[in-house]
Amino acid sequence: MGLLLLTVILVSLTPGPAKSDNLLIELISSLQKSISYLGTVYKDQNLDGIVGFQLFKEWINCPLKKWEKDLQMKSHRQRLSHIRSQISSLVGKTMDVLKKTDSEYYRDFSALFNDGFWKPPSSWTSTDPSLASNQTSKTECFDLEVSNECIKHILGTGEAAGTACVVTEFCRRNMTLPDCHGYSLSHQLLYFMIANGKGCTDRLFEVETPFYMARFCANMMKINLKVEEDCYPSEHQDLFMENIMLCGLCGFSDFLKPNWLKKIVSWQDPQTGCFGKIKEPNVKCDQEKLHSHRRVKRREKKLDDRCLCHMGSMAVGALGAFLCMH
């Protein structure tokens, strides 16, 4: 039943199905605006800026399959089918450009864009707060170049070209460090997710993946709740959405909170459809909190219109999780 999706995700927002349907329309419209924006800037994107679009290609199959025989959802299904075609075309065009303009990075990480590499969860669960660290690091555990090197060992690219699923002691130690924060934490989770997509059989992955995914996402939920408490400071919105996208893909449904969905949609520029333009802070927030966070160096790219590639990608990936969850 198509309305089941609306009931589960949006029931706490509205008393009736009509308003819920309006919110679903708003969600689909937000995704359509993001795709339209990508169509205008795909030649200027970087690889990290389309990861969320690739994941959404997998997310979108959830509602399309679920609504296949639901006449009430026919119009929504038609819109999503059109969006899927647009995404497939634009991701392909972007990859063709990046193969020429960013050839080394493309060589190392293009496998992440193979159809079927990412799979939506077959079941849903919730994070266990007891698994979250009592005290997390206030700084990153490692530079993201460390996680990139470890991911290349899994993919069999870079210096490790030709041999996939290699787990070095350096990577084993860093990718399982406790109490990490920020992007080093989300990339610890990403490391295990990529190993799963690659089908790696090292004991670290075959036996310990569920534990580490549960622990990482418990800490990522703790981070997101703190971001919410701090009134969503602009410099943490990208990480907030990355956490939703990744832990949603791991099947943790409590990341798919209705108020978080509405907040993400509110960050989109209504005219261009992009994400990343800084808006005025909420005057009800503690201003000292809003400006006390340290920016983290990532492979972000600011476009000429001040929109951010990676942030837009994370938004699409996160919004896709809301469509998929049932």
Side-chain angles (χ1 to χ4, degrees):
M1 294 177 60
L3 292 179
L4 180 61
L5 170 73
L6 307 181
T7 302
V8 173
I9 297 181
L10 303 170
V11 68
S12 65
L13 292 176
T14 58
K19 291 184 179 180
S20 295
D21 191 64
N22 288 337
L23 285 172
L24 179 62
I25 292 172
E26 184 179 357
L27 170 56
I28 296 175
S29 296
S30 175
L31 290 164
Q32 180 64 73
K33 290 177 183 177
S34 294
I35 305 308
S36 297
Y37 179 72
L38 178 61
T40 66
V41 298
Y42 75 90
K43 293 182 179 179
D44 299 318
Q45 286 282 329
N46 62 9
L47 204 63
D48 289 2
I50 56 169
V51 171
F53 292 92
Q54 179 66 25
L55 265 63
F56 184 73
K57 286 174 59 180
E58 306 298 334
W59 284 123
I60 204 169
N61 291 324
C62 297
L64 288 176
K65 183 178 181 180
K66 181 167 49 183
W67 300 342
E68 190 171 7
K69 297 181 180 180
D70 191 335
L71 295 179
Q72 296 182 67
M73 309 302 288
K74 183 178 179 180
S75 62
H76 294 319
R77 193 175 188 281
Q78 289 174 337
R79 289 188 70 186
L80 289 179
S81 294
H82 181 60
I83 288 174
R84 181 173 62 178
S85 297
Q86 288 180 303
I87 288 180
S88 295
S89 174
L90 286 170
V91 169
K93 288 181 178 179
T94 306
M95 295 295 283
D96 288 342
V97 173
L98 291 172
K99 188 174 182 179
K100 300 175 182 177
T101 61
D102 198 4
S103 58
E104 183 176 345
Y105 203 71
Y106 175 92
R107 178 201 66 203
D108 290 339
F109 298 103
S110 61
L112 302 180
F113 293 83
N114 292 338
D115 289 339
F117 188 93
W118 307 99
K119 295 179 177 62
S122 56
S123 61
W124 296 91
T125 187
S126 297
T127 55
D128 181 354
S130 69
L131 294 177
S133 301
N134 292 326
Q135 184 175 3
T136 57
S137 172
K138 294 183 179 180
T139 58
E140 301 285 342
C141 287
F142 48 80
D143 189 276
L144 295 189
E145 287 303 314
V146 169
S147 63
N148 282 347
E149 287 304 312
C150 291
I151 289 171
K152 284 188 279 187
H153 279 293
I154 295 300
L155 296 175
T157 58
E159 293 182 1
T163 305
C165 295
V166 173
V167 183
T168 66
E169 286 306 311
F170 174 81
C171 292
R172 188 186 301 271
R173 181 174 65 255
N174 279 281
M175 294 302 106
T176 60
L177 282 171
D179 307 329
C180 289
H181 183 76
Y183 291 100
S184 55
L185 171 60
S186 64
H187 278 234
Q188 285 179 311
L189 175 61
L190 186 62
Y191 176 74
F192 280 83
M193 295 173 70
I194 290 173
N196 182 63
K198 191 69 177 177
C200 297
T201 58
D202 186 276
R203 176 182 170 82
L204 176 64
F205 306 124
E206 281 204 327
V207 177
E208 300 181 49
T209 286
F211 165 75
Y212 281 110
M213 284 186 171
R215 189 177 78 175
F216 294 150
C217 284
N219 282 317
M220 291 158 79
M221 172 58 73
K222 186 176 179 180
I223 289 172
N224 273 27
L225 291 173
K226 185 63 168 64
V227 171
E228 180 182 46
E229 179 187 337
D230 290 349
C231 298
Y232 309 95
S234 57
E235 60 266 39
H236 280 180
Q237 291 171 7
D238 181 277
L239 176 64
F240 177 84
M241 294 188 290
E242 181 168 311
N243 289 347
I244 292 174
M245 181 184 76
L246 294 179
C247 289
L249 200 61
C250 291
F252 292 100
S253 61
D254 49 330
F255 277 83
L256 307 179
K257 301 180 186 298
N259 58 309
W260 288 0
L261 165 61
K262 294 187 69 176
K263 186 59 65 173
I264 291 172
V265 172
S266 75
W267 295 335
Q268 185 176 39
D269 185 285
Q271 279 73 47
T272 66
C274 80
F275 287 81
K277 289 185 176 180
I278 305 302
K279 298 180 180 180
E280 290 298 317
N282 189 330
V283 294
K284 296 180 181 179
C285 293
D286 183 334
Q287 297 301 304
E288 184 175 338
K289 284 183 179 180
L290 277 170
H291 296 289
S292 65
H293 299 280
R294 181 176 63 86
R295 287 189 177 272
V296 179
K297 183 179 180 181
R298 288 183 298 100
R299 203 169 188 269
E300 180 62 278
K301 181 177 181 180
K302 181 180 286 188
L303 300 173
D304 291 341
D305 56 8
R306 297 184 292 114
C307 297
L308 300 176
C309 292
H310 188 270
M311 186 173 179
S313 174
M314 295 302 97
V316 169
L319 291 175
F322 285 93
L323 274 180
C324 185
M325 201 271 281
H326 55 85

